[in-house]
Amino acid sequence: MPKLTMVQALNLALREEMERDESVLVMGEDVGIDGGVFRVTDGLHEQFGPQRSLDTPLAESGILGTAIGMAIAGLRPVAEMQFSGFSYLMMGQWEGNATRMRSRTQGQHTCPLVVRMPYGGGVRALEHHSESREAMYATCPGGKVVIPSGPRNARALLLAAIRDDDPVVFMEPKHSYRSFREEVPEESETMPIGQAQVAREGDDLTVVAWGAMMRPTLKAVDEVAAKGASIEVIDLLTINPLDSDTICASVQKTGRCVIVQEAPRSFGVASEIIARINDDVLLYLEAPIKRLTGYDVVTPYFGREKSYIPPVSRIVHGLRETLEF
Amino acid sequence: MPRKTLAEFKVEHLRVLDENGHVDPELEPDLSTEQLHALYRGMVRARELDQRMLNLQRQGRIGTFGPCTGQEAPSCSAALAMKDDDWFVGAFRELGGRLMRGEPLTGTLFFHNGWEEGNVLPPEVSRRMLPFTIIVASQCLHAAGVGFAASQRGQGEAVVCFSGDGATSEGDFHEGLNFAGVWKAPVVFVSQNNQWAISVPREMQTSSQTLAQKGIAYDMPCIQVDGNDALACYVAISEALERARRGEGPSLIEAVTYRLLMHTTADDPRKYRTEDEEKEWWQKEPLIRFQKYMTAKGIWDDAKEEALRTELRAEVDEAVQTLESQKPWPAERPFDHVFAEPHPSITRQREEFLANLKEEADA
């Protein structure tokens, strides 16, 4: 199995799907000749031509709005938002049309489309290039939100997202784009959207993380586990619809839970997970659920961003506190 | 270095039929009697349903709706000019065109009575018609995307997209025209300038002399037509559809018309415009001049008018009866259309909802 970065794995997924299904096309700002600013669509222009590797005008609402029309008319567009920080201009089309078309027409018109967007901090970028706003998209019923954490699941989930008959926002942790490689099977594989994955099994504590937070979380878990704790780690993978069954089954077993979230603390995915645990397995808890998150401040410029994203040391501390409660 | 003129632009106005029904024979389109009858029938059908819906709404028998009275010509002319495989992408004031394209009267009534089921159309209709768009101008982008997909297929499908004067202020309108222009997408954008975006008059919407000229920036042919003249609308839309089919890209047509009634039934125009202004526009409305035109041609008379009105009123009566005898659809249906495949979290909420309903009913 070749060892690929996440960028290479995503590129592989796009190439495979475009070869398999003629209705699939990629579109967005600089995705064609340039191959995308992160090179995720590199080489697709040469292989599939300008109509299936479509450089669009610079307009985010325009990109999603036209993708909606294409999807209704039988294509399967994979649109790229250059950075998630620019994607709010498409929010009107996402909330107003993409996520509602199925319900509005009771299934007569649907929007099988994917909106890929790099998100998250840690890459020393300009303002608007470092946010983690998955919760904004997750609050719209009818749309799915997927966040891979490594090259292998990025490839498998992107294939699943393209084949999905509903609109999917596919958020790519750009901090993980090239920071590590993983073996990715040559044969196509998909993973089910709407299911979390147990990344480590354990009995004493459940840790839930997703996207770029998975790497520091696993490091912290290794450090704490080395001293004898048995920790279960859940990689969320899909934000909406949320797989609360996997989370609640784990918490029922361990009685303790820590959630690691890059996004600001309030009104986020961690809050929703706590609510779900409260609904289903509250009486199994032996300790308060801990949230390790960003802060409710505007994402700072990169000069100080490092101290705002939960680092390994803070996660280690949080895990210990919850284990010892 | 002398300054050079790089480009000069002009905007034409087209009218074929004047307010008194006099036709300009040079401009008159070659339409058969059957086509003229179909066009008139489409406009009257919309007017009859619109007027009935107004009564029903006032009696609390349907919900809020936006009447189309006075604006029947552009969308009905489009429906006449379109082929079966063309796409109809509307906003919310194209009742006549929607009905001519095959939307059942009951669909309109169910929609306006608060049921998504009204958007569920016979498959042969829905395959080429998008549902009502309430978010202003957002449909202009869908039309450009549908147009892109249609030209990929290469089977000569074109798209007619409606929006209003207010929409020309929205980013999505401009993005739609821009994307369609860059892609040479086969889209005919029809801007129904009905003078009012709720209470904001056309002059406060844009300082442009015409709405048609908005197309110049996107290098597309554009024209202003008398939007209460169904023949002018037909000529301009047909020409634009032909260009689209020849691969020459999109066009913009400004149809100058007037919203004779309120924005929606929740609106009171007396707050922002005069009765005199409305009276003036009633003199220019599209049905009477078309009727005069057909009468002068010898293809229409009072007996035909009476027969048509009687037939359409009966059709509307029947649709209203169907509306009122319809049992409510299953309350839980929204849960069935969140995603293509049910997710356990939604399925559980569906069960919870049904249990709540039962408990509340038993209480």
Side-chain angles (χ1 to χ4, degrees):
Chain A
M1 281 200 275
K3 292 193 88 168
L4 304 182
T5 63
M6 187 183 286
V7 165
Q8 291 169 328
L10 292 165
N11 182 269
L12 171 66
L14 292 170
R15 194 181 300 275
E16 284 176 286
E17 275 311 271
M18 290 174 78
E19 281 171 356
R20 195 186 67 84
D21 181 353
E22 272 195 356
S23 67
V24 178
L25 76 156
V26 297
M27 60 187 291
E29 297 156 12
D30 307 296
V31 303
I33 293 168
D34 197 37
V37 294
F38 287 103
R39 303 288 176 264
V40 173
T41 54
D42 206 24
L44 302 179
H45 193 262
E46 288 80 351
Q47 188 175 343
F48 300 101
Q51 295 296 297
R52 294 186 63 201
S53 173
L54 186 61
D55 278 317
T56 65
L58 202 165
E60 289 74 15
S61 183
I63 292 167
L64 178 56
T66 54
I68 289 168
M70 291 179 193
I72 288 172
L75 298 178
R76 284 190 176 253
V78 182
E80 177 177 300
M81 294 288 126
Q82 201 155 69
F83 287 89
S84 66
F86 308 151
S87 72
Y88 315 122
L89 288 160
M90 70 162 220
M91 190 48 115
Q93 287 286 355
W94 178 256
E95 209 299 316
N97 291 301
T99 57
R100 289 167 176 265
M101 198 55 80
R102 172 181 296 284
S103 177
R104 180 183 288 156
T105 63
Q106 303 213 329
Q108 273 195 330
H109 290 297
T110 58
C111 294
L113 59 87
V114 180
V115 188
R116 299 180 30 250
M117 54 176 84
Y119 85 94
V123 296
R124 299 176 63 77
L126 287 169
E127 190 180 1
H128 308 296
H129 292 66
S130 307
E131 289 74 14
S132 183
R133 296 277 185 270
E134 60 274 23
M136 284 178 59
Y137 289 105
T139 54
C140 305
K144 298 181 177 178
V145 181
V146 173
I147 305 186
S149 61
R152 184 167 180 173
N153 61 38
R155 187 272 202 110
L157 285 166
L158 184 53
L159 282 191
I162 297 170
R163 293 177 194 178
D164 201 284
D165 287 331
D166 291 304
V168 179
V169 161
F170 192 89
M171 301 181 74
E172 300 165 0
K174 60 180 163 305
H175 187 256
S176 308
Y177 262 167
R178 292 191 172 82
S179 57
F180 61 98
R181 288 171 183 268
E182 259 178 13
E183 289 192 339
V184 175
E186 279 172 53
E187 270 178 31
S188 272
E189 67 171 359
T190 64
M191 290 175 78
I193 291 174
Q195 271 184 37
Q197 194 177 44
V198 177
R200 296 272 168 87
E201 287 190 27
D203 298 318
D204 301 335
L205 167 68
T206 301
V207 184
V208 185
W210 56 96
M213 287 296 95
M214 275 303 288
R215 297 281 284 181
T217 297
L218 288 172
K219 268 189 199 158
V221 165
D222 284 344
E223 200 177 317
V224 177
K227 304 218 167 123
S230 167
I231 300 175
E232 185 144 297
V233 181
I234 293 174
D235 185 351
L236 212 49
L237 299 174
T238 298
I239 305 298
N240 186 29
L242 188 69
D243 179 8
S244 35
D245 290 356
T246 297
I247 298 167
C248 290
S250 176
V251 172
Q252 186 172 343
K253 177 174 69 174
T254 63
R256 295 166 199 270
C257 184
V258 173
I259 305 159
V260 187
Q261 165 179 293
E262 182 174 342
R265 182 163 306 159
S266 301
F267 312 106
V269 177
S271 317
E272 179 60 30
I273 292 172
I274 293 172
R276 303 279 184 115
I277 292 170
N278 174 64
D279 285 345
D280 290 352
V281 291
L282 176 73
L283 297 178
Y284 291 88
L285 285 176
E286 290 166 33
I289 304 166
K290 188 178 283 294
R291 282 185 289 181
L292 303 170
T293 68
Y295 301 94
D296 292 336
V297 298
V298 172
T299 307
Y301 287 10
F302 69 80
R304 51 170 72 90
E305 75 174 330
K306 250 186 155 176
S307 49
Y308 279 77
I309 299 171
V312 175
S313 56
R314 197 184 307 158
I315 303 172
V316 167
H317 184 72
L319 299 182
R320 287 197 176 129
E321 268 192 355
T322 305
L323 276 166
E324 288 159 12
F325 182 86
Chain B
M1 295 284 250
R3 294 179 190 223
K4 287 191 285 188
T5 300
L6 292 178
E8 286 185 78
F9 303 104
K10 60 174 182 164
V11 179
E12 286 184 348
H13 178 90
L14 176 69
R15 173 194 259 188
V16 178
L17 205 55
D18 73 14
E19 291 154 28
N20 300 311
H22 297 133
V23 69
D24 182 333
E26 303 264 307
L27 300 173
E28 186 182 9
D30 185 19
L31 289 171
S32 67
T33 301
E34 289 70 33
Q35 285 174 307
L36 293 171
H37 283 175
L39 180 49
Y40 184 64
R41 185 177 195 278
M43 294 196 288
V44 176
R45 199 155 165 248
R47 180 72 62 92
E48 287 291 339
L49 181 58
D50 211 47
Q51 295 294 316
R52 179 67 62 88
M53 283 169 66
L54 197 56
N55 291 338
L56 292 172
Q57 197 281 334
R58 292 308 188 222
Q59 295 161 7
R61 291 158 71 189
I62 63 165
T64 302
F65 84 105
C68 73
T69 291
Q71 286 182 236
E72 294 88 351
S75 73
C76 289
S77 303
L80 185 70
M82 289 165 74
K83 292 186 177 166
D84 282 352
D85 274 349
D86 292 339
W87 292 73
F88 189 102
V89 180
F92 49 81
R93 230 184 284 279
E94 297 83 28
L95 178 60
R98 298 190 77 87
L99 297 178
M100 279 179 76
R101 292 289 289 175
E103 178 172 303
L105 271 61
T106 47
T108 313
L109 290 169
F110 290 141
F111 174 88
H112 286 295
N113 212 22
W115 297 99
E116 287 88 345
E117 279 75 1
N119 285 330
V120 180
L121 304 176
E124 70 277 12
V125 179
S126 76
R127 67 183 271 277
R128 288 294 184 268
M129 179 141 77
L130 268 55
F132 251 59
T133 309
I134 292 175
I135 297 189
V136 172
S138 68
Q139 73 278 13
C140 298
L141 284 163
H142 308 162
V146 169
F148 178 89
S151 46
Q152 295 282 85
R153 269 201 286 272
Q155 290 168 359
E157 300 158 42
V159 185
V160 181
C161 173
F162 291 89
S163 55
D165 43 306
T168 65
S169 300
E170 291 276 10
D172 279 0
F173 172 82
H174 293 274
E175 292 182 24
L177 266 64
N178 188 43
F179 276 60
V182 170
W183 293 340
K184 291 257 175 263
V187 185
V188 179
F189 292 101
V190 181
S191 178
Q192 294 208 67
N193 172 9
N194 72 7
Q195 315 299 328
W196 292 93
I198 306 188
S199 66
V200 177
R202 152 70 183 80
E203 313 79 69
M204 284 174 70
Q205 206 61 247
T206 172
S207 63
S208 302
Q209 188 188 340
T210 67
L211 301 184
Q213 74 200 60
K214 308 273 183 192
I216 290 171
Y218 306 102
D219 202 29
M220 64 179 73
C222 47
I223 189 169
Q224 184 189 71
V225 301
D226 181 338
N228 287 354
D229 167 4
L231 294 182
C233 293
Y234 176 83
V235 168
I237 293 170
S238 299
E239 288 174 359
L241 279 169
E242 282 312 308
R243 280 194 297 274
R245 288 189 220 291
R246 287 197 301 267
E248 292 169 26
S251 305
L252 174 63
I253 297 164
E254 174 189 2
V256 179
T257 178
Y258 192 80
R259 196 194 77 214
L260 287 172
L261 302 175
M262 59 294 282
H263 163 70
T264 68
T265 45
D267 169 46
D268 174 14
R270 284 290 78 79
K271 292 226 4 163
Y272 51 82
R273 68 184 194 191
T274 64
E275 233 173 315
D276 284 349
E277 180 184 311
E278 290 172 8
K279 275 186 190 147
E280 197 183 309
W281 278 94
W282 272 106
Q283 303 307 309
K284 306 182 202 169
E285 67 87 53
L287 270 56
I288 293 171
R289 71 170 86 175
F290 202 84
Q291 193 188 345
K292 285 181 179 164
Y293 161 68
M294 290 198 301
T295 306
K297 271 180 98 75
I299 60 167
W300 202 251
D301 55 33
D302 289 349
K304 283 196 170 69
E305 178 74 19
E306 186 59 38
L308 177 68
R309 295 275 177 176
T310 307
E311 178 209 332
L312 294 178
R313 277 169 199 160
E315 189 193 8
V316 171
D317 283 344
E318 197 184 316
V320 172
Q321 228 163 37
T322 308
L323 168 78
E324 302 203 316
S325 60
Q326 173 70 40
K327 288 192 191 118
W329 281 280
E332 70 277 17
R333 195 166 272 179
F335 290 95
D336 301 337
H337 295 291
V338 181
F339 297 121
E341 301 291 331
H343 187 267
S345 61
I346 308 287
T347 306
R348 274 196 296 270
Q349 286 187 28
R350 186 181 192 274
E351 286 158 12
E352 177 194 324
F353 170 78
L354 285 172
N356 286 343
L357 277 193
K358 191 169 181 308
E359 203 171 298
E360 287 152 20
D362 292 345

